[in-house]
Structure formats: structure tokens, C-alpha cells
């Protein structure tokens, strides 16, 4: 069964075509690499998958749900690491993960999730003092809460040093081994090649 199906998806913003006639299928349990330069439409496609943006034309199915009709069901089963994640400066790392735990209505130890992404020692620090790499790890921790069926990672290596990027890839592989589907979006070929089962390259749409 496919975890993600896009058929003829186009998204226009007035006179700009952000995504043009995109069709793709991502299998369950696959680590799918979504590769392309900045501005190619990767983030717009992700927003369409989550029903934050409606396509101008085409159909989108995620985890067996039509995203237009059942977006809440999709989000309940999806963990997202967005590009440019912003922290709440006055909240600790633990408080961020506790928020995700409450939102997903699951019973897990926030400290265990923070430890998994290498932030165990920084759990009580306010996230406003985190480095860019630490903020990226925090976003990953929040995405992992609840063992989601689908992980959508938008530029997940941003801000990470080589060791951190390697740890992130190990977590991605562990999630795949658990049975989760991973949609890994990046403009860095080496990162996609190192972890993904299958890459697709998204080019600038005609009329961009």
C-alpha cells in the first residue's frame, strides 16, 4: 500500500507556478528522498501533503486519507520537522516536547525522546539559548513523539555538524526499521544519497 500518492498536482500562486503536474508514489516503510534546489517547490509540496496549502489541481492521498477531506487524520499520524523551525525562547527543551506529547495525547517520557536526539543534558535549558543545531534536534524530537506512521523531514540536516547529521540519519533508519515511512526533503544530494531508499529530483516548474 502507498503511504503517499500525488496525481497531477499543480499549485499556482497568482502568476507563479510553485508545483507543476507532480505525480509520485511513496511506499509504506520507504525512506523517500525528495531532492531539489531551493525554490523548486519542495516545501510547497510538503504543505500540500499536510493540507496547509490546497493544490490548484490534482489529488493527494496520505496514509489512505484524502488530504482535503481528512487532514486531521493525516496530521494525527504524522510527525513533521519543518524547515526554519522556530522555538519558544522562554520554554525549556522539555516543555517543547511535553507540548508535543499533550498534542498527540500519548504517554511517553519527554526526557527519553530528548536523550534520543542528543539533548538530554539540555532538557532544562531555555530553548532561546539553543544553537541552530540544537533547535534542529529539538524539532526532530517533537516530530518523533507518538511513533508516527509518517515522518516528514524538511531539510533535517540544516544546522547540524557532521556528527549530528550522522546521528539524524541513524534515527531515520531506526524509524524505517520500526515500519514508519520517511519523506526526506533536502537540497543536499549527499544527505539524501546517504539515507534514502529512492530519490526523486524536483526541478523548477515550467513558468516559475
Amino acid at each position: 500500500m502507498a503511504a503517499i500518492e500525488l496525481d497531477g498536482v499543480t499549485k499556482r500562486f497568482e502568476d507563479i507556478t510553485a508545483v507543476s503536474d507532480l505525480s509520485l508514489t511513496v511506499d509504506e516503510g520507504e525512506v523517500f528522498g525528495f531532492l531539489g534546489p531551493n525554490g523548486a517547490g519542495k516545501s510547497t509540496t510538503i504543505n500540500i501533503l499536510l493540507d496547509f496549502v490546497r493544490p490548484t489541481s490534482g489529488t493527494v492521498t496520505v496514509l489512505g486519507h484524502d488530504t482535503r477531506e481528512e487532514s486531521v487524520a493525516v496530521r494525527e499520524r504524522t510527525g513533521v520537522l519543518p524547515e526554519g523551525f522556530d522555538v519558544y525562547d522562554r520554554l525549556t527543551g522539555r516543555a517543547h516536547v511535553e507540548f508535543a506529547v499533550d498534542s498527540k495525547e500519548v504517554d511517553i517520557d519527554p526526557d527519553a525522546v530528548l536523550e534520543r536526539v542528543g539533548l538530554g543534558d539540555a532538557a532544562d535549558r531555555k530553548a532561546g539559548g539553543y544553537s541552530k543545531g540544537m533547535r534542529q534536534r529539538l524539532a526532530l524530537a517533537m516530530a518523533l513523539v507518538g511513533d508516527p506512521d509518517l515522518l516528514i523531514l524538511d531539510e533535517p540536516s540544516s544546522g547540524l555538524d557532521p556528527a549530528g547529521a550522522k546521528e539524524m540519519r541513524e534515527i531515520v533508519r531506526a524509524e524505517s526499521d520500526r515500519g514508519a515511512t520517511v519523506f526526506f526533503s533536502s537540497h543536499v544530494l549527499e544527505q539524501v544519497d546517504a539515507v534514502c531508499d529512492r530519490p526523486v529530483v524536483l526541478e523548477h516548474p515550467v513558468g516559475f
Side-chain angles (χ1 to χ4, degrees):
M1 178 179 173
I4 296 173
E5 290 183 284
L6 286 81
D7 185 13
V9 170
T10 294
K11 178 59 184 179
R12 299 187 186 90
F13 296 96
E14 296 183 351
D15 59 342
I16 294 175
T17 300
V19 178
S20 178
D21 195 26
L22 176 62
S23 296
L24 61 84
T25 299
V26 180
D27 295 329
E28 285 188 345
E30 181 178 15
V31 181
F32 180 84
F34 198 49
L35 184 67
N38 292 330
K42 300 189 304 299
S43 293
T44 299
T45 301
I46 287 173
N47 286 334
I48 289 171
L49 292 176
L50 297 169
D51 196 42
F52 295 152
V53 170
R54 291 283 174 90
T56 306
S57 60
T59 59
V60 184
T61 304
V62 177
L63 300 173
H65 301 287
D66 183 317
T67 55
R68 288 176 179 266
E69 304 296 332
E70 301 172 288
S71 60
V72 173
V74 171
R75 293 173 199 160
E76 286 176 346
R77 299 172 58 190
T78 303
V80 183
L81 189 163
E83 184 180 16
F85 171 74
D86 289 327
V87 300
Y88 293 93
D89 288 352
R90 297 183 180 181
L91 296 183
T92 64
R94 180 184 293 109
H96 279 78
V97 177
E98 287 174 343
F99 174 79
V101 169
D102 291 342
S103 298
K104 288 291 183 73
E105 299 181 343
V106 294
D107 183 19
I108 62 170
D109 180 7
D111 288 337
V113 184
L114 288 166
E115 190 70 37
R116 187 180 179 194
V117 300
L119 289 178
D121 293 339
D124 292 317
R125 287 175 53 187
K126 290 183 178 180
Y130 280 12
S131 67
K132 184 177 180 181
M134 293 172 72
R135 293 177 183 217
Q136 197 73 349
R137 291 171 182 266
L138 180 58
L140 179 57
M142 295 175 71
L144 293 171
V145 165
D147 292 334
D149 296 317
L150 172 64
L151 270 175
I152 296 179
L153 309 178
D154 195 0
E155 301 290 355
S157 302
S158 177
L160 297 178
D161 59 22
K166 182 175 181 293
E167 291 171 1
M168 178 274 299
R169 292 194 300 269
E170 291 171 349
I171 290 173
V172 167
R173 271 295 161 201
E175 289 298 293
S176 177
D177 291 343
R178 177 177 64 79
T181 304
V182 182
F183 189 90
F184 189 109
S185 176
S186 179
H187 70 281
V188 183
L189 175 60
E190 292 80 4
Q191 292 295 336
V192 171
D193 189 55
V195 72
C196 295
D197 299 318
R198 177 171 60 99
V200 165
V201 179
L202 186 66
E203 299 180 352
H204 286 297
V206 176
F208 180 82

